């Protein structure tokens, strides 16, 4: 049958236009199964999970053997965190159609997400024995191999895919990422550069290159790559989060806080970004560390040191740090005994200015009741 306007927009990848056209089709005919499926899928991609589940469940009631609808529903369960329910939905599909390749791929993926890596690899092997040409299955098996700590096996699998199709961007990004995990930073960066030569605005390659540069200790290059990601798509939370990670590696906590705050506003549902934002906030929270240390020896010397250290960020860029101690030494020598004391304190202020300058100043002093004039002032 000839494609209508909605089908053409879908085939061309124009999802915004396809969403509007399929929604209109569904409004005209609530029993249009394809329109129900597409609108449900696209609502799930927009994280409108409740609305998507309602549409897809209605379609499953109308067409119980619509496997695409059931797999789409399973993916929503998994994205919502209920991986066990997602796997159960897929198993129901496989009970009816045991050779359905997309269901086998989904089962393997959900098993990997649940941490059942060995089962996932076995499921991918079963899938590829039935459908050896299943490209996404081959890529995901390579990815799962990396998750299982089998980096070299994963690298070989990605390289095989790229020999068949050097333009497979997904496989090249997977290869670059796995090389980074394996500590082969130089080659990982080469592969990310290869992706960017073909797709200069690919956010996964831009952020991946920044993370690998940081892991390799190339913090200036990492910052440049992360800045480029933010410039390419200022509305992408992952780009800002990557920039924040690079700032943290550079010990620029104030700049990192700004980057993570922006990332969390852009992607409030992203759990990884929320965790990173929480960590940087904790790093800038007031911190007090009291300690008491007691020492003695066979000559009868006993010394107790009480210390207090702390830090407080007056603003994200201005940090105050303080430390004080008090030592008391006693010796009981039988016919003689003595006692001495020592104490000191130091206060330091540090200001972080853009683009990474750090100004630090402090004052401190110490004194004892020992011989001479053991009193010191330092700044």
């Amino acid at each position: 049958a000839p494609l209508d306007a909605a089908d053409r927009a879908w085939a061309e990848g124009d999802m915004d236009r396809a969403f509007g056209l399929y929604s209109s089709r569904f409004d005209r005919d609530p029993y249009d199964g394809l329109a129900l499926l597409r609108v449900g899928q696209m609502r799930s991609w927009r994280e409108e999970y409740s609305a998507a589940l309602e549409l897809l469940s209605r379609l499953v009631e109308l067409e119980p053997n619509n496997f695409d609808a059931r797999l789409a529903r399973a993916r929503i369960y998994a994205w919502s965190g209920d991986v066990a329910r997602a796997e159960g939905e897929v198993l129901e599909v496989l009970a009816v159609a045991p050779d359905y390749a997309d269901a086998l791929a989904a089962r393997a993926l959900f098993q990997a997400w649940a941490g059942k890596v060995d089962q996932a690899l076995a499921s991918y092997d079963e899938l590829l024995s039935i459908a050896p040409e299943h490209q996404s299955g081959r890529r995901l098996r390579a990815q799962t191999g990396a998750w299982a700590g089998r980096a070299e096996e994963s690298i070989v699998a990605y390289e095989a895919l790229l020999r068949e199709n050097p333009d497979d961007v997904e496989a090249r990004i997977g290869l670059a990422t796995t090389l980074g995990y394996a500590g082969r930073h130089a080659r990982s960066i080469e592969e990310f550069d290869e992706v960017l030569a073909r797709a200069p605005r690919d956010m996964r390659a831009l952020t991946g290159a920044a993370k690998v540069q940081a892991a390799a200790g190339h913090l200036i290059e990492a910052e440049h790559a992360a800045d480029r990601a933010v410039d390419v798509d200022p509305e992408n939370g992952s780009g800002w989060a990557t920039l924040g990670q690079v700032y943290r590696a550079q010990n620029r906590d104030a700049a990192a806080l700004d980057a993570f705050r922006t990332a969390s506003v852009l992607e409030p549902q992203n759990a990884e970004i929320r965790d990173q934002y929480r960590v940087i906030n904790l790093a800038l929270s007031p911190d007090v560390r009291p300690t008491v240390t007691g020492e003695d020896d066979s000559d009868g010397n006993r010394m107790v040191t009480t210390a207090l250290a702390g830090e407080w960020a007056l603003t994200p860029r201005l940090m105050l740090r303080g430390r004080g101690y008090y030592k008391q030494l006693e010796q009981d020598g039988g016919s003689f005994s003595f006692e001495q004391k020592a104490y000191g304190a130091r206060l330091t202020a540090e200001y972080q200015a853009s683009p990474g300058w750090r100004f630090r100043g402090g004052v401190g002093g110490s004194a004892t009741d020992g011989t001479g004039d053991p009193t010191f002032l330092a700044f």
Side-chain angles (χ1 to χ4, degrees):
L3 298 178
D4 75 352
D7 298 330
R8 284 196 299 273
W10 176 274
E12 293 166 1
D14 188 347
M15 295 297 112
D16 289 335
R17 184 162 167 263
F19 182 77
L21 292 169
Y22 278 123
S23 296
S24 297
R25 258 176 61 173
F26 172 66
D27 290 340
R28 291 193 303 270
D29 180 4
Y31 297 97
D32 185 334
L34 183 58
L36 259 175
L37 174 64
R38 296 296 190 228
V39 174
Q41 288 175 313
M42 287 185 279
R43 284 197 179 279
S44 71
W45 299 341
R46 299 179 180 195
E47 298 185 0
E48 300 171 6
Y49 294 149
S50 296
L53 280 173
E54 182 181 344
L55 293 169
L56 294 168
S57 296
R58 186 188 308 176
L59 179 54
V60 171
E61 286 181 14
L62 293 171
E63 303 174 15
N65 286 333
N66 189 320
F67 299 144
D68 289 336
R70 300 197 68 171
L71 289 182
R73 191 167 66 174
R75 292 186 184 99
I76 294 173
Y77 294 147
W79 295 337
S80 302
D82 194 346
V83 180
R85 188 174 182 184
E87 189 176 352
E89 178 94 34
V90 172
L91 291 175
E92 289 180 13
V93 173
L94 289 172
V96 179
D99 293 341
Y100 186 35
D102 287 345
L104 289 167
R107 180 184 67 178
L109 181 62
F110 299 154
Q111 288 170 335
W113 287 357
K116 298 182 284 189
V117 179
D118 290 334
Q119 292 182 37
L121 290 171
S123 293
Y124 280 124
D125 289 339
E126 181 182 350
L127 163 66
L128 296 175
S129 68
I130 294 169
E133 74 290 347
H134 199 285
Q135 292 297 98
S136 65
R138 294 175 66 190
R139 283 194 296 266
L140 287 167
R141 193 202 185 286
Q143 182 185 69
T144 305
W147 292 349
R150 305 177 187 178
E152 292 305 318
E153 178 184 325
S154 176
I155 289 168
V156 169
Y158 279 125
E159 289 174 337
L161 285 166
L162 289 169
R163 280 194 297 272
E164 296 173 14
N165 180 13
D167 294 325
D168 187 340
V169 172
E170 300 293 331
R172 198 169 294 278
I173 287 176
L175 175 60
T177 303
T178 305
L179 288 165
Y181 290 155
R184 295 163 63 176
H185 299 134
R187 189 173 166 210
S188 173
I189 292 167
E190 288 177 5
E191 295 296 339
F192 278 126
D193 287 344
E194 189 70 28
V195 174
L196 293 170
R198 291 172 163 80
R201 301 175 65 85
D202 191 300
M203 286 297 294
R204 296 165 301 171
L206 289 167
T207 56
K211 291 173 184 176
V212 173
Q213 291 279 20
H218 307 152
L219 298 182
I220 300 299
E221 292 85 350
E223 184 181 350
H224 291 164
D227 281 336
R228 185 177 168 192
V230 170
D231 290 340
V232 163
D233 187 358
E235 301 301 315
N236 188 298
S238 296
W240 284 101
T242 300
L243 184 59
Q245 289 175 306
V246 174
Y247 284 151
R248 285 223 71 193
Q250 296 174 339
N251 292 319
R252 295 166 61 184
D253 286 347
L257 179 66
D258 290 339
F260 284 126
R261 183 186 293 118
T262 302
S264 66
V265 170
L266 292 171
E267 297 187 22
Q269 304 302 320
N270 189 312
E272 182 179 356
I273 290 176
R274 288 202 307 271
D275 287 345
Q276 291 171 333
Y277 188 30
R278 187 179 301 115
V279 167
I280 191 65
N281 271 308
L282 286 172
L284 293 171
S285 298
D287 182 29
V288 178
R289 299 179 298 279
T291 58
V292 177
T293 306
E295 302 168 80
D296 60 61
D297 61 24
S298 58
D299 293 331
N301 296 300
R302 294 183 301 277
M303 184 165 68
V304 177
T305 304
T306 304
L308 183 67
E311 57 186 35
W312 179 31
L314 292 178
T315 72
R317 292 188 178 276
L318 179 60
M319 177 71 75
L320 289 182
R321 293 186 175 90
R323 186 178 188 279
Y325 68 90
Y326 179 83
K327 292 179 182 286
Q328 185 170 9
L329 172 67
E330 298 177 352
Q331 185 185 55
D332 184 1
S335 59
F336 70 94
S337 62
F338 70 88
E339 178 180 324
Q340 287 189 326
K341 302 179 182 65
Y343 46 89
R346 180 178 64 216
L347 180 65
T348 305
E350 179 181 288
Y351 184 79
Q352 297 179 29
S354 295
W357 291 100
R358 198 179 295 265
F359 300 91
R360 182 183 299 134
V363 62
S366 64
T368 78
D369 56 3
T371 58
D373 184 20
T375 300
F376 300 93
L377 178 68
F379 60 89

